Amino acid sequence: MNKEEFIREVEKLGIKVTKKNLEQLEIYCEYLLEYNKHTNLTAIKTKEEVYLKHFYDSLTLCKVIDLTKEESLLDIGSGAGFPGMVLKIFFPNLKVYLVDSNNKKTKFLEELKIKLNVNNLEVINNRIEKLYDLFLNKIDIVTARAVTNLTILSELAIPIVKKDKYFIAMKGNATEEINESRYAIKYLNCQIETIDNFELFNNFGHRTIIKIKKIKESERKSIRSYDKIIKKPLQNK
């Protein structure tokens, strides 16, 4: 995907692409590819792939939500900043938290934050289940791209979401995962509001975005430990 194709496809998502956006993305892309030569952040090696499979793919979250109307976003397992940092570039109104337990990745994100000169963004080197005391029922949009099984991921993410706000999971082909997760999502006082299936530009892969609305606040005492979440996923008996 070249820049002209990127701009055209992003504008189809209802997002205006500014000169500043493009300047920041160029810095991001060049720094990512250079950094990746000595620290493994991504399997992608070319600028065209970065624009398609990282930048554009991250922005497809906007197919299911208008981020201009939200205040906060937390990205679980952000890695090299996808989708959280890309969304921050296009939606400076958001307070963004990039959470990852990998020291090398959060070091990259801290350096990238300075290079891009973005404000109101926090990089957190930790596991999401260690952050409930800080974020319980406080974030408008919690998202995760290509992270673990949806049943497990939902139980980890949903406690952080505000009542009447959203957990948005970004997946590949996820039909089976979605069906298996329905019990857990209902048990966690949420409901699936939207499932958006689509092909990436030029058929470069199937994507599924699952938008889950939280209808009741989470109680700290009801949150299971990480070991229990992993060993005994919530399933209909």
Side-chain angles (χ1 to χ4, degrees):
M1 175 179 264
N2 60 39
K3 286 186 183 179
E4 290 72 25
E5 290 168 334
F6 173 80
I7 293 168
R8 184 178 69 245
E9 295 303 313
V10 169
E11 290 183 344
K12 288 180 183 178
L13 298 172
I15 302 170
K16 180 175 172 57
V17 182
T18 67
K19 181 180 178 181
K20 183 179 180 181
N21 295 153
L22 293 174
E23 289 172 349
Q24 288 179 305
L25 290 179
E26 190 63 15
I27 293 168
Y28 195 164
C29 182
E30 290 181 0
Y31 190 56
L32 173 66
L33 293 176
E34 184 62 31
Y35 205 95
N36 203 53
K37 291 177 181 178
H38 59 78
T39 303
N40 184 31
L41 298 174
T42 176
I44 288 172
K45 305 296 183 185
T46 69
K47 183 176 290 189
E48 290 76 16
E49 284 186 296
V50 170
Y51 272 82
L52 172 60
K53 296 181 180 179
H54 285 327
F55 295 165
Y56 174 72
D57 198 13
S58 293
L59 291 168
T60 60
L61 182 138
C62 299
K63 291 167 73 69
V64 301
I65 192 82
D66 181 358
L67 291 178
T68 63
K69 297 179 180 179
E70 306 300 335
E71 295 180 357
S72 58
L73 180 142
L74 187 147
D75 180 14
I76 298 173
S78 192
F82 310 117
M85 184 66 86
V86 181
L87 294 170
K88 177 62 181 177
I89 288 171
F90 282 84
F91 299 93
N93 56 292
L94 290 172
K95 168 66 177 181
V96 172
Y97 302 91
L98 306 181
V99 178
D100 203 288
S101 61
N102 185 305
N103 289 323
K104 292 179 180 179
K105 291 176 180 178
T106 53
K107 182 176 184 290
F108 167 78
L109 291 173
E110 290 284 10
E111 294 176 9
L112 179 65
K113 175 184 174 181
I114 295 168
K115 285 186 172 291
L116 296 179
N117 191 28
V118 292
N119 300 311
N120 216 17
L121 179 141
E122 187 174 343
V123 178
I124 301 175
N125 178 224
N126 213 331
R127 299 182 65 85
I128 194 64
E129 66 272 12
K130 303 291 187 182
L131 301 175
Y132 294 138
D133 290 339
L134 185 63
F135 290 118
L136 187 67
N137 300 309
K138 289 186 177 178
I139 304 294
D140 292 333
I141 306 298
V142 176
T143 190
R145 175 177 176 257
V147 179
T148 189
N149 174 275
L150 187 58
T151 297
I152 292 169
L153 182 59
S154 295
E155 191 169 2
L156 292 170
I158 284 168
I160 289 170
V161 182
K162 282 183 186 176
K163 179 178 178 291
D164 297 323
K165 292 297 184 175
Y166 300 96
F167 167 47
I168 303 175
M170 306 180 76
K171 293 278 186 178
N173 196 329
T175 302
E176 187 174 342
E177 270 190 63
I178 293 168
N179 290 334
E180 290 176 350
S181 71
R182 289 183 184 276
Y183 172 81
I185 289 167
K186 185 176 181 180
Y187 181 89
L188 295 163
N189 297 303
C190 294
Q191 60 189 27
I192 295 176
E193 188 169 281
T194 305
I195 300 173
D196 195 324
N197 289 288
F198 60 97
E199 293 293 325
L200 270 185
F201 175 76
N202 276 358
N203 295 314
F204 269 100
H206 187 84
R207 295 291 185 269
T208 305
I209 300 178
I210 307 103
K211 182 183 180 186
I212 298 167
K213 184 174 184 179
K214 186 169 179 176
I215 56 180
K216 183 180 178 181
E217 285 197 341
S218 302
E219 296 182 7
R220 185 67 180 90
K221 63 182 181 181
S222 68
I223 298 174
R224 299 196 298 162
S225 68
Y226 180 75
D227 284 348
K228 288 182 179 179
I229 292 171
I230 295 298
K231 291 176 181 178
K232 295 184 178 181
L234 291 170
Q235 293 176 339
N236 196 4
K237 297 177 181 178

